[in-house]
Structures are given as structure tokens and as C-alpha cells.
Amino acid sequence: MPTISMFYGILVLMYFRDNRRHHLPHIHVRYQGQEAAVLIEDGTILDGALPPKQLKMVHAWIEIHKEELFVDWELAINGDEPFRIAPLQ
């Protein structure tokens, strides 16, 4: 499960071959012991929870990097290493 980005204490991960459970392109986000699976398309939380402030930052980061995230998703579901993506600044 490669970490593809980190910012403000938030870890963004993308698991290899992770299209079996949720079936839709998503990322996993961890923040202070909380974890959520978040859709790349619209930022919907599929599973888990994050504090509202951190979720807003994740939504902004997704919007900025949506194209890169979809490329990384294709790599990851095929078992290839996804690229690192710039953090939110």
C-alpha cells in the first residue's frame, strides 16, 4: 500500500489491486488513527471517517490532482507502483 502523498499530518495511500471491495477509483486517507476510503471522482467517503477540516483539505487536493489520481489508480489496480503526487501546500 504505497503512500502517494503526505500533507498536514494526512497520509494518502493507494492499495495494489484494490478494485475488488469498492470497485470504484478511490484513495485511502489516514489522519491521527482515523481512516477513510474516498472516491476520486467526487470525494464521497465510501468507508470510514475523517475530521471535517481534514476532509476539506483532502477534497481540495483531489480536485487539484484528479487526473494524476486516475492514472495512479490504473497503475495500482494492475499491480504497478503508483507515482507520488505533490502535497497540498
Side-chain angles (χ1 to χ4, degrees):
M1 74 181 141
T3 300
I4 59 171
S5 195
M6 289 185 285
F7 50 91
Y8 303 108
I10 299 167
L11 296 175
V12 181
L13 306 106
M14 193 170 282
Y15 298 161
F16 293 113
R17 304 189 199 295
D18 193 29
N19 59 335
R20 292 179 182 98
R21 181 172 175 204
H22 298 298
H23 307 289
L24 298 169
H26 65 280
I27 55 174
H28 291 262
V29 181
R30 292 183 184 168
Y31 178 77
Q32 293 187 349
Q34 292 184 293
E35 184 171 351
V38 181
L39 278 179
I40 295 170
E41 184 61 40
D42 63 6
T44 299
I45 292 183
L46 295 171
D47 191 21
L50 291 172
K53 179 180 176 183
Q54 282 68 31
L55 183 58
K56 285 180 185 179
M57 287 191 276
V58 169
H59 285 160
W61 181 81
I62 288 171
E63 280 303 311
I64 294 166
H65 299 288
K66 194 173 281 191
E67 289 180 30
E68 295 166 274
L69 286 164
F70 281 121
V71 170
D72 270 2
W73 173 258
E74 289 299 320
L75 289 170
I77 63 168
N78 290 315
D80 296 321
E81 185 80 23
F83 293 103
R84 299 254 325 157
I85 298 176
L88 187 65
Q89 296 181 6

